[in-house]
Amino acid sequence: MLDKKSTKIKLKLIFLPFLWLSLLTALLYNVVRWILDIYLDIWPLKDSIWDLIIPLLLSVIVVIVCMRTRIRLLRFNFFKEDSANIFYLVMVLALFPPLSMSQVYLSKVSYSVIDINNVDEARQYLKQKYFRVADFNVKKQEVVSHITTEVTGKYQSELLVYLYLATPFSDANNVWLGQNFRIVIDNNLPEQKKRQQFEVFIKTSKCEYKNSGVPLADYFEYLKSSDVKSGYLQAIESSPQGYESEPYIFIAKVGTLAEAATKQLLKTIRFFIIGMFICLLLILKAKIDKKEFQQFKVR
């Protein structure tokens, strides 16, 4: 089989279908999420499900289900029968990051910044997410905190520690300003050293927050259902005050929403191009399995 003909086959039967499937998947998923989560607000899943779990499942489905017979046409001499597994992995890794990042872009570009006089007015805009507040202050003396830990990394080598601080806004009904601190501790350290780093991190973070002034904020983001919001809610639950309504939690943002959306879009496009380029190089480098190709033509 001539090399030129082989290249044409690989582009026509493998790379271009994967490219169009990836673009179509991203488009359809963003449309579905915009309708269900943003416009209608009838599927209140956590951000981790929208941004990570579903994009990962879609990436696996596109590659393993939709591209399986086409990927089997490719062979590396070194890997032989295991060649398909290499392409499964690389293609999933090429599609998942930009598909996940596109959700962050969608959550920014689908909203506008609403001007309000005080944070309590945000309750009048149930489907909005970003607010510019004319006047605000917080009661730093009433700050509450919550700490979570997570073991991650290869061989569970890293201990992630999160400190969530929630501070009530002045002259507001159960509206809170959230800020978190994070540190990565070597999980292979002796328990005493890990405990020392943990305690120093908590102490210095709380001291830093206490000594800082009123946070700078060009606008605020209202937190919808997410793991981050859960951390702040657990902090608020430790407050001595009782609350009947659901807490409203805001995160201070600097800059403009348009700038943040543009930056995220460029990041998404960059990762998509890099992932597709790596897939293209691997596909062109591989050889066409003649037996599989004949069977593919018969189907």
Side-chain angles (χ1 to χ4, degrees), residues 62-104:
V62 167
V63 173
I64 296 181
V65 177
C66 302
M67 293 294 300
R68 183 179 69 251
T69 56
R70 297 174 184 272
I71 289 175
R72 288 171 60 184
L73 299 175
L74 300 173
R75 287 287 185 275
F76 282 120
N77 291 333
F78 183 77
F79 295 103
K80 296 182 179 179
E81 296 299 326
D82 292 330
S83 296
N85 294 330
I86 301 298
F87 284 100
Y88 290 150
L89 177 62
V90 172
M91 286 182 170
V92 168
L93 293 178
L95 178 56
F96 168 63
L99 190 57
S100 176
M101 293 175 188
S102 70
Q103 301 311 296
V104 180

Side-chain angles (χ1 to χ4, degrees), residues 91-120:
M91 286 182 170
V92 168
L93 293 178
L95 178 56
F96 168 63
L99 190 57
S100 176
M101 293 175 188
S102 70
Q103 301 311 296
V104 180
Y105 169 71
L106 180 68
S107 68
K108 296 181 183 299
V109 76
S110 300
Y111 298 93
S112 57
V113 179
I114 306 299
D115 288 304
I116 55 179
N117 294 318
N118 57 74
V119 291
D120 261 336

Side-chain angles (χ1 to χ4, degrees), residues 140-153:
K140 280 211 166 185
Q141 69 277 10
E142 297 181 18
V143 62
V144 290
S145 64
H146 177 72
I147 301 169
T148 63
T149 59
E150 176 185 355
V151 178
T152 186

